[in-house]
Amino acid sequence: MRFNTIIEPFRIKSVEPIRQTTPEERRDALKAAHNNVFLLHSRDVLIDLLTDSGTGAMSVYQWSGMMKGDESYAGARSFDAFEKSVRDITGFGHVIPTHQGRAAEHILFHALVAKGDIVPNNTHFDTTRANVEDVGGVPLDLPIAEGREAQSTNPFKGNMDIAALERTLEKYGDRVPLVMVTVTNNSEGGQPVSLTNIREVSAVCKRFGVPFFIDACRFAENAWLIKSREAQFGHRTPRSIAQEMFSLADGCTMSAKKDGMANIGGFLAMNNGSLAAKCRTRLVLTEGFPTYGGLAGYDLEAIAVGLNEALDEDYLRYRIRSIEYLGEKLLDAGVPIVTPTGGHAIYLDAKQMLPHIPQSEYPAWALSLVLYIEGGIRAAEIGSVMFGRKPDGTERAAPLELVRLAFPRRVYTQSHVDYVAEVVCHVNGIASRVRGVRIVEAPAVLRHFTARMTPAHGQLVMPAGFGLGAMT
Ligand code: F0G
């Protein structure tokens, strides 16, 4: 290539204004939201990095596809387009639309998992874990050890521990109804899984006769990271890598809100016809008829187009580079982040940035609040508020205290990223003045969505001149 600048591979045809607010206004908004960024109004947020799920911008081809949506209850033309796109990429014969990823998980586990069964995964996403538990199964995370080391430079920290998988299948083989691999591994920092690792998981599953399913939410980002980091696959297209990933599995669950480039939707796909029939029976009860599965015809059209756009090389290059670019800026400024940068997000390491805040005072949560107050940035805590409460009601600190800056697809430009870098660096500079928080009120499960929090020491950010020495 002649020039080095990687540009956003689109021009902007329709814009959505975002509103500047002052730190004072944001302090008031946060107070009204009980110090929980999930409870903020989006109009009070400048840059929204809460999630990359369903928040992307659709292309003109997706919008025009939506105008063609066939809203027939059964046998809609839009289903045929959707099924064709899914089949072309995954190769799976049975394609079952659902309203989003967790519905596909719910239906699959109801069909396959019995009480006491064990479901290994590199790392379960929280809805996947909850859906395994919902049918009485035991979710078992088997990430490689480096997956949990924030500063490890392993290019495939999302990999599954193959030896641990073998041990699990030897010990509990008859109690394991399926093995799952999540690409990219969202809960361990959006880290990719190598094609070699997927091949190995597939071979082990075949040897033990256990079905292998992929949680495919970010399959295109994973394919790009394989292309760019796994030397022997550098010459392949992301599409051909994705096709091979799926060919190694027996089925997949998918949230089309991520690499489906849609605002809603998902699917379940597989080769086994009798399992598919069982899933469709439940689908009719909970989602809808098998050719729409909880979606409008126009949603199916948007996904049919979006799945292919997600594999476009210019798009993937820009997408992954923009995350890496932010990562480089932060690392240059000494901001602790999970490395290497992965697919959809930057993960700030709050334990390192705020070492003076004990985990019992939720450093990552405090950091998410300060990012909002200082710069209007909304990001999600992935730490002890999200994971610290155990089913028996006891509290145990999470292994990592992270704040995830997740980037919606095709929404923000380089100047937005530059702004985010500037705000994060500023917050890093005042880190010693930031104080912890405590829970005022929270529900027993998934408490991070609605918890009411308050500063543990009167103020979240102490005035300038208030260094660590002034803490006591
Ligand atoms: N699996 C993974 C790896 C996910 O990241 C998600 C959603 C799901 C399954 C469930 O899909 O939301 O369509 O029901 N992740 C979002 C996030 C919510 O913010 O990471 P869904």
Side-chain angles (χ1 to χ4, degrees):
M1 212 184 290
R2 206 166 142 217
F3 301 108
N4 292 324
T5 309
I6 296 170
I7 62 167
E8 287 85 8
F10 48 80
R11 51 185 180 170
I12 296 162
K13 183 170 228 152
S14 174
V15 297
E16 183 176 6
I18 48 178
R19 199 168 68 94
Q20 293 280 358
T21 47
T22 63
E24 289 65 42
E25 286 168 332
R26 294 196 287 267
R27 242 173 242 125
D28 288 346
L30 202 52
K31 206 167 171 192
H34 304 282
N35 292 298
N36 182 341
V37 295
F38 278 102
L39 304 180
L40 287 169
H41 295 286
S42 69
R43 63 170 182 267
D44 295 328
V45 176
L46 186 63
I47 308 275
D48 203 344
L49 307 180
L50 194 62
T51 177
D52 64 324
S53 181
T55 50
M58 290 204 292
S59 70
V60 288
Y61 304 108
Q62 287 179 289
W63 283 112
S64 59
M66 287 179 77
M67 298 307 291
K68 292 187 300 194
D70 175 354
E71 305 302 340
S72 303
Y73 191 91
R77 197 177 56 239
S78 300
F79 175 73
D80 297 339
F82 170 83
E83 185 184 48
K84 181 176 183 318
S85 284
V86 176
R87 276 196 184 144
D88 284 351
I89 295 167
T90 67
F92 298 129
H94 297 276
V95 178
I96 300 171
T98 59
H99 83 275
Q100 60 184 83
R102 65 199 70 183
E105 293 159 9
H106 174 84
I107 288 167
L108 179 66
F109 299 154
H110 262 270
L112 268 184
V113 181
K115 203 168 171 354
D117 281 354
I118 294 165
V119 181
N121 197 320
N122 46 348
T123 312
H124 289 80
F125 179 66
D126 55 9
T127 60
T128 325
R129 168 177 295 279
N131 271 304
V132 171
E133 286 170 347
D134 189 51
V135 291
V138 181
L140 180 66
D141 290 343
L142 301 176
I144 57 167
E146 280 173 281
R148 300 222 156 134
E149 292 162 17
Q151 268 77 43
S152 150
T153 53
N154 184 322
F156 291 104
K157 284 165 75 177
N159 281 356
M160 181 176 255
D161 182 334
I162 300 295
L165 175 64
E166 281 174 324
R167 280 197 302 275
T168 304
L169 290 172
E170 266 154 26
K171 197 162 169 198
Y172 306 108
D174 53 341
R175 282 174 57 199
V176 179
L178 80 161
V179 170
M180 290 193 87
V181 164
T182 305
V183 298
T184 54
N185 192 345
N186 187 12
S187 307
E188 305 282 355
Q191 298 293 323
V193 181
S194 71
L195 192 49
T196 305
N197 191 252
I198 298 173
R199 284 178 180 174
E200 286 167 349
V201 172
S202 174
V204 171
C205 288
K206 280 205 176 75
R207 183 147 52 85
F208 285 88
V210 178
F212 168 35
F213 275 67
I214 294 181
D215 176 341
C217 297
R218 299 178 180 85
F219 74 96
E221 292 171 3
N222 200 83
W224 180 262
L225 289 163
I226 287 172
K227 180 180 170 64
S228 44
R229 293 185 187 172
E230 207 169 358
Q232 69 267 43
F233 305 117
H235 64 288
R236 302 253 304 261
T237 61
R239 172 178 290 270
S240 113
I241 293 171
Q243 284 167 332
E244 180 174 340
M245 281 161 43
F246 288 115
S247 76
L248 293 163
D250 299 293
C252 72
T253 55
M254 172 74 187
S255 167
K257 300 172 76 172
K258 284 86 170 176
D259 280 349
M261 310 291 260
N263 299 127
I264 193 72
F267 58 84
L268 179 59
M270 66 194 73
N271 285 326
N272 182 327
S274 56
L275 178 61
K278 211 169 163 190
C279 290
R280 284 197 189 98
T281 306
R282 185 150 201 103
L283 183 86
V284 176
L285 284 178
T286 58
E287 294 283 289
F289 190 75
T291 60
Y292 74 86
L295 294 171
Y298 54 70
D299 295 324
L300 294 167
E301 295 279 355
I303 299 165
V305 176
L307 286 169
N308 290 304
E309 292 184 347
L311 286 168
D312 178 80
E313 294 204 20
D314 288 342
Y315 158 71
L316 282 169
R317 186 176 293 111
Y318 137 80
R319 166 106 180 126
I320 301 300
R321 177 60 196 152
S322 62
I323 306 289
E324 190 183 46
Y325 170 80
L326 176 57
E328 283 168 6
K329 285 198 154 212
L330 297 180
L331 286 170
D332 283 351
V335 177
I337 63 169
V338 174
T339 56
T341 51
H344 63 295
I346 290 284
Y347 292 71
L348 304 176
D349 186 343
K351 252 193 208 174
Q352 279 208 52
M353 197 192 279
L354 305 162
H356 54 285
I357 302 183
Q359 280 188 272
S360 57
E361 291 181 8
Y362 308 112
W365 192 277
L367 178 56
S368 76
L369 301 184
V370 179
L371 285 172
Y372 174 69
I373 291 173
E374 296 298 315
I377 296 169
R378 174 155 73 167
E381 185 246 24
I382 304 191
S384 293
V385 178
M386 189 181 265
F387 294 124
R389 190 184 193 277
K390 299 296 144 197
D392 64 3
T394 58
E395 184 91 15
R396 198 176 326 132
L400 297 171
E401 295 289 341
L402 304 176
V403 172
R404 184 183 76 167
L405 308 174
F407 280 79
R409 291 168 181 76
R410 303 188 292 208
V411 168
Y412 294 118
T413 64
Q414 187 170 345
S415 65
H416 292 115
V417 174
D418 287 337
Y419 173 82
V420 170
E422 202 180 333
V423 172
V424 175
C425 291
H426 161 74
V427 168
N428 191 44
I430 61 166
S432 64
R433 291 198 272 125
V434 175
R435 295 294 178 265
V437 291
R438 64 180 170 81
I439 297 174
V440 177
E441 203 183 306
V445 274
L446 296 176
R447 64 183 181 181
H448 51 289
F449 290 129
T450 52
R452 296 181 171 198
M453 311 289 287
T454 195
H457 300 278
Q459 256 171 296
L460 189 62
V461 183
M462 294 299 177
F466 236 86
L468 283 182
M471 237 186 122
T472 43

